[in-house]
Amino acid sequence: MSDYLSVDKVSFGYGSRPVLREVSVALSKGHILGLIGPNGAGKSTLVRIVLGLSSPSSGRVLLDGKDIRDLTPKARARRIAYVPQSSPLSFPATVFETCLLGRTPHMGASPSANDLAVVEELLCRLRLEDFAFRPMSELSGGERQRVMLARALAQETDVLVLDEPTSALDIGNQLFTLRVVSEIARERGVTALVAIHDLSLAARFSDSLLLLDKGVVVGHGNWQSTLTETTVRDVYGVNVEIGLLRDIPVFAPHELT
Amino acid sequence: MKITQLALWLGLALASAIGLAPAAAETFTDDAGRKVELELPIKRAVIFNRYAVEFARAIGAIDKVVGVDASTMRDPTYWPQFKDSDIVGQGQTQPNYEAIVALKPDVVIIPRNGVYEEAARQLEAFGIPVLVVTAWDTLQHVENVTLFGKLFDSTEKADALNAYYTRYMDLLAERLKDVERKKVYLEEVRDLVTVTPGSGWHDMIEAGGGINVFGDIDIKKQPSSRGNENSFTVDPEEIIARKPDLVIKLQPGSYQTIPEAKFADSWKAIVAREEISGAPVGAGGNVRLINYYLAGGSSKVTGALQVAKWLYPDRFADIDPEAAMKEWIEIYQGLPFQGGMTYQGSASN
Amino acid sequence: MDIATTAGLARGHSSGIANRYRQAGYWRLAIILGSLLALVVVAGSVAIVGIAETGLTALLAIVVEKVSFGYIVADVDPQQARVLLHLRLPRVVMAIVAGGSLAFAGVLMQAITRNPLVSPYTIGVSSAAAFGASIAIMFGVGFSAAGLYFVPLTAFLFALGCAVLVFSMAWLRGMGAQTMVLTGIALMYLFSAMTAAVQFVATQEQLARVVHWTFGSLNGIGWDAVAVAGMALLVALPLAQSKAWQFNALTSAGDDVSRSLGINVALLRGLAVVLSVVVSAVVISFTGVIGFVGLIGPHVARLMIGSDHRYLIPFSAICGAMLLLLADTVGRMAFSPTVIPVGIVVAFVGVPLFLHLILSRRSEYFS
Ligand SMILES: Nc1ncnc2c1ncn2[C@@H]1O[C@H](COP(=O)(O)OP(=O)(O)OP(=O)(O)O)[C@@H](O)[C@H]1O
Ligand SMILES: [Mg+2]
């Protein structure tokens, strides 16, 4: 299977401080990659580079064989959607309006009937229909995060780049939301890059994991090989017990090293 | 039939003769250097600036003035000729053009610190000319009064006013020729605020034979925080250091008498101040109060007379400034003179 | 890999929210059309009140005459016609154009900074224009016919310079919106102080002109000013309107997401700065400083119509126009025949609102 999205020896630094060092990873179409690593490991930085929001100091990101920086902004927006780690809140648009922004790369000056239909279906699917006309400023953090995901899904791209899309969600909604994402990914053959802190969810919903530490790839593969008690201890500085409960990977941290 | 036709023709001819023959169209170059053509004499004028309206009244043309600004009308008792509906705006920077147009004037007279360009533009469509006359500029006093005489066809009265003005100005110049000039500190209504060259009050002191103790100040070289030529902030110590022979304090007021009690209060306040009472000028009782009214237009000459008499009583023994003021107010302004324009408290403290 | 499914939970079930959204759109369109109509009605009614006796029929006849290029001749008393044509109408139309322009500029500036405290006035553009004007008055080349536009032009250049300074500082130094507002307020004070300083060395006649500039007034506005300012707005409004959706993204999703949506954020910002500064500076250069309209217009509009810029941009302009029209009518009529400059009237509404904005939403706008 050919690589659909590949990160090729990407390095990046803020000023003289290196943040990413020769990171490479390749995803085939429809693949969900979980991006894990401690705070400051460079996950968000990598995500921004994949999106073309930052340019790597060396290396490149290829989408279907083409450097993403060679795509026009609009063409790129039709193929890669993004949910940032956090979003500013200034002028309170409603949930529906916010979600409709996802249709921007597909529309002219105003949304079409199809655009509205897409948003309506997505909001329903994410169980946000009751919030549709509430201003974003009056939502809880978790509700807002789900709207941002709905917005990215409304973009109907074949690549999703999600930076901690479930960090503010309760356990029920975490599960629900990631299920919707993986379902949609499967239905549409969407390739996804998901930065996520919850190791259990990462292991459960990803086809493979990429473990970053201080800007360097320290593990890549299925969860069993990437997240061992040794790697977790070395990277996160915590002793964990890893087990399976009803086939679900569970990581129980018990002592700092 | 024939007769009616003839009458019609005659009527038309007459009408055109009246309408077309300009009474006397004359071109003036105004204070802003603009050429303005006016049909004389002026029968309806709108005038901005109080001094200009005073000129009109002084030459007997006040009935030709149909509109004035609100600043002029600040003291309605001074202007029994006008009512509120004659007001055409707050002052020379905010004319109410509709109010002007409604009065159908032959000319609008506005000083050069007014918005004359805007006014000319706005009134052009209505055929109302705008003439710039700066009555507050005392250097142009004679010239301005002569112009008003011409405009309102009242040259004799204008000459009389000029004669009144120049008589006293010449008299002052004559008697002050070789005098050793004394020093005057003039204080605005606000404490520790004085005037510098460029101000009309400064001119009045000089015309009265005094030396403004702050007359050496070049306002352009001063920090702007100290104010402008009309209100320049001073330090009390500077007043003492400049050793004035006379202190003149301005009092807010109009042509009417300032009540004795009010004068007395102001007097007490000023002589109680250390920089006044502690200096020779205060100790010697050389402090005077003067009504603000005496600064403007023609009345400024009476202010100068008073200053001269205070400074050099011997040389002006036969001159009565009060009489000059009375003449200005009664003869030229047609209002009863009530006196009490100045005040001097008892020197004892 | 998790293989459970959420299917069937909410799939394919139509809730009618798209319809509701569509209807809200129609409703907003109706508000805009209604308010536009109201603006015309109010403009017509205030145009016929004043010192001189004028009637609606006279006004309509004149408008018809002018609109038909003199083909349909108005049968109106010539004096009445002149009052309407040369004194009232330019003033009424300028109130609409100036209010519309300032609010329009405000809404764009607020969009690109995501801060409702930003407006031509609060980032110092207005004071800069006034300072530019006073410099031109003080040291300018006479007041000949060639110099007729010298003062507005200098005012315009200073306004532009100030805006470029504030915005470029904001971008280059990566400042937040609140830093920008504070910089603007500091500049506003600086320019006001410099204008005041200039006044001290002014002659009487220069002083009158400078003071005239420091509070905005529509007294004595002519058709030439209306034409220039009107053209600027007519060019800028459709240009901004064509980017309305992009402004939506920028305000409610932020820079990164906007870029990920394919929007050239830098270009959008640049366009918004140019349009808003040009439009507001042109107005200020004719009228003098009129504050707060650029703040109140967008604020009121947002409360009434929401934050979708497709509706917000035109509706802000309408709100600003209405506000300035009413304020100028109050200034014109309240103490007639004394005319109160509209800048003063507006401040009475604007200052309390500004304080309210700061106090009520402090955490969001000034965090
Ligand atoms: N704008 C910036 N300027 C300088 N350094 C930055 C900037 N943004 C991030 N960094 C640094 O780059 C490194 C990687 O940051 P990044 O945001 O990619 O981490 P992350 O893996 O997403 O962390 P987290 O789990 O906390 O989100 C960190 O050390 C961070 O301090
Ligand atoms: Mg991160």
Side-chain angles (χ1 to χ4, degrees):
Chain A
M1 206 189 219
S2 68
D3 298 337
Y4 188 65
L5 177 70
S6 60
V7 175
D8 184 18
K9 291 194 185 130
V10 161
S11 298
F12 184 84
Y14 287 109
S16 59
R17 191 157 46 97
V19 172
L20 293 176
R21 259 176 265 186
E22 305 230 326
V23 174
S24 294
V25 65
L27 285 73
S28 56
K29 197 160 175 60
H31 192 94
I32 298 182
L33 178 76
L35 187 56
I36 51 177
N39 292 136
K43 301 183 295 294
S44 298
T45 308
L46 182 60
V47 158
R48 289 173 50 84
I49 288 171
V50 168
L51 281 156
L53 294 176
S54 312
S55 293
S57 47
S58 68
R60 55 198 182 139
V61 176
L62 299 173
L63 180 63
D64 213 4
K66 272 208 213 87
D67 193 320
I68 52 135
R69 281 174 295 170
D70 294 340
L71 295 173
T72 64
K74 190 152 184 169
R76 200 156 60 205
R78 285 191 180 136
R79 303 184 66 178
I80 314 178
Y82 172 47
V83 173
Q85 198 168 348
S86 62
S87 304
L89 237 203
S90 44
F91 294 110
T94 64
V95 167
F96 196 92
E97 286 168 341
T98 306
C99 200
L100 204 49
L101 289 176
R103 302 301 301 164
T104 305
H106 303 283
M107 58 184 237
S110 279
S112 67
N114 176 53
D115 294 327
L116 300 188
V118 167
V119 169
E120 171 164 17
E121 199 198 308
L122 262 175
L123 286 179
C124 292
R125 190 157 173 185
L126 282 164
R127 298 180 187 159
L128 285 164
E129 67 268 37
D130 294 339
F131 301 106
F133 296 99
R134 294 253 301 270
M136 289 291 280
S137 55
E138 290 174 16
L139 299 190
S140 76
E143 288 160 353
R144 244 177 253 164
Q145 201 167 32
R146 283 157 62 201
V147 176
M148 294 318 279
L149 181 67
R151 199 233 344 108
L153 291 173
Q155 218 166 320
E156 295 193 317
T157 53
D158 43 26
V159 178
L160 274 178
V161 177
L162 313 178
D163 198 349
E164 299 187 27
T166 55
S167 59
L169 304 188
D170 66 59
I171 51 168
N173 270 314
Q174 283 182 341
L175 197 58
F176 171 76
T177 304
L178 284 174
R179 269 201 187 138
V180 173
V181 171
S182 59
E183 262 169 47
I184 290 177
R186 217 174 312 127
E187 285 163 22
R188 304 180 189 164
V190 169
T191 311
L193 178 63
V194 186
I196 187 165
H197 275 302
D198 188 308
L199 299 180
S200 178
L201 288 173
R204 199 168 160 188
F205 283 96
S206 309
D207 297 320
S208 67
L209 293 178
L210 185 75
L211 178 59
L212 274 182
D213 186 22
K214 300 188 187 77
V216 178
V217 178
V218 292
H220 182 204
N222 61 21
W223 74 265
Q224 291 91 342
S225 64
T226 316
L227 290 173
T228 64
E229 288 173 6
T230 330
T231 52
V232 173
R233 189 191 60 222
D234 291 349
V235 172
Y236 290 93
V238 61
N239 291 316
V240 289
E241 191 96 15
I242 304 176
L244 279 179
L245 275 176
R246 295 179 159 223
D247 278 347
I248 297 164
V250 181
F251 298 79
H254 52 85
E255 199 56 62
L256 291 171
T257 55
Chain B
M1 186 69 176
K2 274 259 159 72
I3 291 169
T4 43
Q5 217 163 25
L6 189 72
L8 199 75
W9 279 115
L10 273 175
L12 273 177
L14 197 70
S16 62
I18 295 167
L20 292 180
E26 197 165 332
T27 305
F28 294 88
T29 303
D30 72 9
D31 200 17
R34 299 157 64 248
K35 293 236 183 310
V36 182
E37 195 179 281
L38 297 173
E39 284 187 18
L40 299 183
I42 301 293
K43 296 205 184 64
R44 301 177 65 81
V46 163
I47 305 185
F48 286 85
N49 185 265
R50 191 190 95 200
Y51 306 149
V53 189
E54 282 176 347
F55 286 169
R57 186 155 66 182
I59 63 168
I62 195 68
D63 55 322
K64 313 257 174 62
V65 181
V66 293
V68 296
D69 58 327
S71 306
T72 295
M73 274 286 277
R74 192 168 297 150
D75 178 13
T77 57
Y78 190 55
W79 298 108
Q81 291 89 350
F82 300 118
K83 39 191 197 310
D84 277 351
S85 58
D86 299 325
I87 293 178
V88 291
Q90 182 56 46
Q92 64 266 24
T93 58
Q94 292 281 325
N96 187 328
Y97 299 109
E98 259 190 56
I100 294 174
V101 165
L103 294 172
K104 295 193 169 67
D106 302 329
V107 67
V108 171
I109 295 175
I110 192 164
R112 62 171 183 260
N113 61 337
V115 288
Y116 56 86
E117 285 161 324
E118 179 190 288
R121 198 175 60 231
Q122 292 284 305
L123 297 172
E124 194 183 358
F126 300 88
I128 301 172
V130 172
L131 187 72
V132 182
V133 179
T134 312
W136 50 258
D137 189 341
T138 38
L139 297 177
Q140 301 179 8
H141 188 279
V142 173
E143 195 183 317
N144 282 338
V145 170
T146 308
L147 173 65
F148 265 55
K150 206 163 185 182
L151 291 179
F152 294 104
D153 191 20
S154 183
T155 44
E156 274 165 42
K157 286 185 174 166
D159 291 345
L161 175 61
N162 274 336
Y164 160 82
Y165 182 79
T166 44
R167 185 170 84 238
Y168 286 120
M169 287 308 269
D170 292 349
L171 180 125
L172 283 167
E174 169 72 24
R175 297 202 183 177
L176 292 169
K177 224 185 302 173
D178 51 353
V179 78
E180 193 186 322
R181 295 187 167 235
K182 292 188 178 169
K183 289 184 281 183
V184 179
Y185 169 62
L186 182 130
E187 190 170 78
E188 256 288 353
V189 175
R190 270 185 305 151
D191 290 349
L192 299 178
V193 172
T194 190
V195 297
T196 66
S199 148
W201 288 107
H202 171 86
D203 296 344
M204 189 189 76
I205 296 169
E206 303 274 313
I211 295 174
N212 178 5
V213 289
F214 288 97
D216 61 323
I217 301 281
D218 181 355
I219 197 73
K220 294 202 173 71
K221 298 204 178 103
Q222 292 295 319
S224 58
S225 57
R226 292 190 74 175
N228 57 28
E229 63 264 41
N230 290 311
S231 94
F232 183 74
T233 309
V234 295
D235 191 89
E237 285 178 30
E238 271 181 286
I239 301 173
I240 298 171
R242 287 170 187 260
K243 300 196 181 73
D245 301 305
L246 179 70
V247 172
I248 299 176
K249 172 83 177 173
L250 302 184
Q251 294 297 301
S254 72
Y255 81 103
Q256 287 165 310
T257 306
I258 294 176
E260 184 78 17
K262 233 173 139 189
F263 262 137
D265 284 348
S266 303
W267 171 268
K268 274 184 214 138
I270 187 166
V271 295
R273 278 159 50 191
E274 184 55 37
E275 69 273 17
I276 305 293
S277 62
V281 62
N286 290 321
V287 178
R288 306 283 187 276
L289 306 180
I290 190 168
N291 187 329
Y292 225 106
Y293 174 79
L294 291 189
S298 295
S299 48
K300 191 170 279 171
V301 72
T302 65
L305 271 184
Q306 181 65 73
V307 172
K309 180 146 183 159
W310 278 333
L311 290 173
Y312 316 106
D314 302 342
R315 294 195 180 216
F316 291 88
D318 60 326
I319 302 295
D320 181 7
E322 283 257 311
M325 289 173 208
K326 186 176 159 77
E327 192 180 352
W328 166 249
I329 289 181
E330 293 200 333
I331 309 264
Y332 292 103
Q333 296 303 317
L335 293 164
F337 180 63
Q338 304 177 350
M341 285 289 170
T342 60
Y343 184 81
Q344 174 180 12
S346 57
S348 63
N349 41 353
Chain C
M1 184 69 204
D2 195 280
I3 45 140
T5 175
T6 61
L9 286 174
R11 289 301 301 275
H13 135 112
S14 174
S15 59
I17 53 180
N19 261 333
R20 202 175 140 194
Y21 173 82
R22 219 175 270 125
Q23 265 151 21
Y26 297 143
W27 183 232
R28 287 168 183 177
L29 214 55
I31 292 181
I32 289 179
L33 292 176
S35 62
L36 208 56
L37 192 70
L39 186 64
V40 171
V41 169
V42 170
S45 349
V46 303
I48 57 172
V49 299
I51 288 170
E53 203 61 47
T54 46
L56 187 61
T57 40
L59 177 69
L60 290 177
I62 286 167
V63 170
V64 167
E65 178 180 311
K66 291 296 157 192
V67 168
S68 69
F69 294 102
Y71 192 73
I72 304 167
V73 179
D75 176 27
V76 183
D77 166 44
Q79 178 77 357
Q80 235 189 77
R82 280 195 294 264
V83 166
L84 283 170
L85 207 54
H86 296 284
L87 296 181
R88 297 254 186 89
L89 282 177
R91 187 173 184 143
V92 163
V93 178
M94 190 62 179
I96 292 172
V97 170
S101 297
L102 292 171
F104 166 78
V107 84
L108 290 200
M109 288 180 176
Q110 291 176 5
I112 58 172
T113 58
R114 287 187 221 106
N115 191 317
L117 297 179
V118 176
S119 74
Y121 186 59
T122 46
I123 67 161
V125 165
S126 306
S127 319
F131 178 62
S134 44
I135 293 264
I137 291 164
M138 293 294 301
F139 312 110
V141 287
F143 303 105
S144 58
L148 186 61
Y149 291 102
F150 181 68
V151 175
L153 208 65
T154 319
F156 177 73
L157 290 178
F158 270 77
L160 210 61
C162 175
V164 168
L165 192 72
V166 172
F167 283 111
S168 57
M169 262 170 84
W171 295 337
L172 292 177
R173 311 296 310 155
M175 304 189 310
Q178 106 268 19
T179 323
M180 192 172 138
V181 174
L182 294 178
T183 311
I185 289 176
L187 283 175
M188 183 170 98
Y189 275 108
L190 177 69
F191 284 120
S192 303
M194 291 200 292
T195 307
V198 160
Q199 292 177 20
F200 285 120
V201 292
T203 63
Q204 280 290 326
E205 42 273 62
Q206 288 169 335
L207 183 68
R209 286 158 176 278
V210 172
V211 170
H212 198 53
W213 260 87
T214 54
F215 45 85
S217 168
L218 296 174
N219 206 28
I221 284 290
W223 283 116
D224 54 344
V226 176
V228 175
M231 284 304 287
L233 185 60
L234 281 183
V235 170
L237 198 58
L239 265 173
Q241 187 68 27
S242 72
K243 304 280 181 196
W245 191 263
Q246 301 195 358
F247 287 120
N248 284 348
L250 196 59
T251 51
S252 52
D255 280 34
D256 281 353
V257 170
S258 296
R259 286 171 66 196
S260 80
L261 289 170
I263 294 168
N264 187 335
V265 171
L267 187 74
L268 185 64
R269 278 225 169 83
L271 178 79
V273 169
V274 170
L275 293 184
S276 58
V277 172
V278 166
V279 158
S280 53
V282 163
V283 164
I284 296 165
S285 67
F286 284 112
T287 62
V289 178
I290 300 175
F292 299 112
V293 179
L295 209 61
I296 308 171
H299 180 72
V300 171
R302 209 173 275 120
L303 281 182
M304 286 177 66
I305 213 166
S307 49
D308 185 337
H309 286 74
R310 288 174 302 158
Y311 308 105
L312 184 61
I313 292 174
F315 192 56
S316 292
I318 292 172
C319 289
M322 185 73 101
L323 174 74
L324 207 62
L325 185 59
L326 293 176
D328 187 49
T329 306
V330 168
R332 196 158 61 91
M333 301 307 294
F335 296 98
S336 176
T338 293
V339 186
I340 303 168
V342 69
I344 293 176
V345 181
V346 167
F348 281 113
V349 194
V351 173
L353 178 90
F354 191 56
L355 291 177
H356 168 77
L357 276 176
I358 292 174
L359 294 178
S360 65
R361 315 288 289 271
R362 171 176 74 234
S363 54
E364 279 164 50
Y365 305 147
F366 262 110
S367 57

